[in-house]
């Protein structure tokens, strides 16, 4: 996507990305739902800047508004106060520039892996052969070679999430939003897919905003971890993870960040 060397040697947006696309800017964001006639403030005074190519993790208690924030950025909800921009342009609805992956894969059960992924290209006037080439390329990107014709029920949870990630990436989004994408997986598969996500991100270099409940995952992948407070959801703190990618899980530096995050989240 953006023309930078794989495996940038340092975290944060490298200088080469300064003029690239995929900058998310949130200003004065307030979101209120109405529940049984009462106003329920969900997000308050959110200010956020995500640099092109940056990987930002968001953590915070259940119900603090993380998914709501992602839904607003992806354009699934239009009612809010404030401004959300992508590369300076106000976000007013969904767009192929922003892809999302949820905790459940949301693949259509009656379609094969290849058909599910190809569906994301339905609004493109590309020749069939080019679509097939793109689908094959993205199946390979997520290491699902040999499973193009498999149906979702024939896949493991991790494989289905890989297919969902391929579907989200096939339109080359500037921003990839991940809402607990690995949350339903067993611990081993999860660690494996964290590594895969890092590899894919380094290769694609789109901006990523990922919600997770897993502190180690947030730190292993994120250039920055945003900690949210609840009722209403606010940004409480941001931790810059100053470590190069790919990272070593056993790094004592990561351990130090983990202690800071735990302190922030549970106070001990
Ligand atoms: N459509 C809706 N109508 C009314 N209230 C809603 C709606 N969607 C979410 N909420 C409320 O907004 C708040 C934030 O929900 P949200 O799903 O964003 O939290 P979250 O941080 O993603 O939680 P979790 O970690 O459990 O996924 C919750 O109190 C929830 O009840
Ligand atoms: Mg959520």
């Amino acid at each position: 996507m953006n023309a930078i060397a794989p495996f940038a040697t340092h975290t944060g947006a490298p200088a080469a990305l300064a003029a690239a696309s995929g900058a998310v800017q949130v200003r004065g964001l307030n979101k209120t739902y109405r529940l049984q006639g009462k106003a329920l403030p969900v997000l308050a005074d959110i200010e956020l800047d995500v640099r092109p190519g940056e990987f930002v993790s968001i953590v915070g208690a259940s119900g603090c508004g993380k998914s709501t924030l992602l839904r607003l950025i992806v354009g699934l909800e239009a009612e809010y106060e404030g401004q959300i921009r992508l590369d300076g342009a106000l976000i007013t609805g969904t767009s192929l520039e922003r892809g999302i992956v949820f905790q459940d894969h949301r693949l259509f059960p009656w379609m094969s892996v290849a058909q599910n992924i190809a569906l994301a290209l339905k609004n493109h006037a590309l020749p069939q052969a080019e679509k097939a080439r793109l689908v094959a390329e993205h199946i390979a990107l997520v290491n699902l070679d040999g499973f193009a014709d498999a149906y979702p029920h024939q896949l493991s949870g991790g494989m289905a999430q890989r297919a969902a990630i391929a579907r989200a990436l096939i339109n080359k989004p500037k921003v990839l939003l991940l809402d607990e994408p690995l949350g339903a997986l067993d611990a081993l598969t999860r660690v494996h897919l964290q590594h895969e996500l890092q590899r894919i991100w380094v290769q694609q270099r789109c901006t990523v905003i990922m919600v997770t409940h897993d502190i180690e995952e947030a730190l292993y992948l994120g250039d920055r971890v945003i900690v949210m407070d609840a009722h209403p959801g606010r940004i409480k703190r941001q931790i810059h993870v100053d470590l190069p990618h790919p990272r070593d899980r056993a790094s004592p530096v990561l351990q130090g960040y983990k202690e800071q995050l735990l302190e922030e989240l549970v106070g001990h």
Side-chain angles (χ1 to χ4, degrees), residues 14 27 42 82 123 140 158:
R27 288 286 174 273
V42 172
N123 293 329

Side-chain angles (χ1 to χ4, degrees), residues 63 66-68 179-180 211 213:
K66 304 177 296 297
S67 296
T68 303
D179 195 355
E180 301 187 50
V211 166
H213 281 289

Side-chain angles (χ1 to χ4, degrees), residues 28-122:
L29 174 63
N30 288 278
K31 169 74 184 168
T32 301
Y33 281 117
R34 290 208 74 79
L35 207 56
Q36 288 155 354
K38 277 199 202 149
L40 176 72
V42 172
L43 293 171
D45 307 323
I46 304 285
E47 302 278 329
L48 178 66
D49 281 287
V50 184
R51 296 185 303 267
E54 190 180 15
F55 195 124
V56 168
S57 305
I58 302 180
V59 299
S62 182
C64 74
K66 304 177 296 297
S67 296
T68 303
L69 180 58
L70 290 201
R71 279 203 304 275
L72 288 166
I73 296 173
V74 89
L76 285 169
E77 298 208 26
E79 272 183 38
Y80 61 90
E81 246 177 57
Q83 296 183 338
I84 308 175
R85 294 176 184 273
L86 174 58
D87 294 328
L90 269 182
I91 289 174
T92 54
T94 56
S95 150
L96 298 180
E97 289 187 324
R98 283 160 276 128
I100 190 160
V101 177
F102 299 96
Q103 187 170 5
D104 50 331
H105 55 71
R106 302 192 187 189
L107 299 171
F108 289 117
W110 59 87
M111 287 184 180
S112 68
V113 166
Q115 288 167 336
N116 266 289
I117 297 172
L119 195 62
L121 292 172
K122 70 177 191 301

Side-chain angles (χ1 to χ4, degrees), residues 138-255:
H138 283 79
I139 285 176
L141 176 72
V142 298
N143 278 335
L144 276 181
D145 288 307
F147 291 91
D149 297 328
Y151 285 83
H153 76 272
Q154 297 171 314
L155 305 176
S156 69
M159 291 161 82
Q161 278 310 75
R162 284 168 192 268
I165 292 167
R167 182 182 54 184
L169 287 174
I170 199 163
N171 284 300
K172 302 248 176 279
K174 292 178 176 178
V175 182
L176 179 63
L177 299 146
L178 303 172
D179 195 355
E180 301 187 50
L182 314 182
L185 305 177
D186 67 89
L188 262 181
T189 308
R190 190 167 183 145
V191 164
H192 193 56
L193 269 190
Q194 286 166 1
H195 180 76
E196 290 284 281
L197 260 183
Q198 179 167 245
R199 173 185 64 77
I200 290 166
W201 170 65
V202 167
Q203 201 173 329
Q204 304 278 305
R205 274 294 167 173
C206 55
T207 306
V208 177
I209 306 177
M210 177 186 73
V211 166
T212 178
H213 281 289
D214 181 331
I215 293 176
E216 286 178 16
E217 179 172 292
L219 288 166
Y220 175 64
L221 290 168
D223 290 321
R224 186 155 45 122
V225 180
I226 290 172
V227 183
M228 284 182 63
D229 241 353
H231 310 302
R234 292 178 193 275
I235 294 181
K236 183 180 180 192
R237 189 165 166 206
Q238 308 196 23
I239 292 177
H240 289 266
V241 185
D242 196 8
L243 273 179
H245 291 275
R247 290 177 175 159
D248 172 10
R249 284 174 198 279
S251 150
V253 182
L254 269 190
Q255 191 57 34

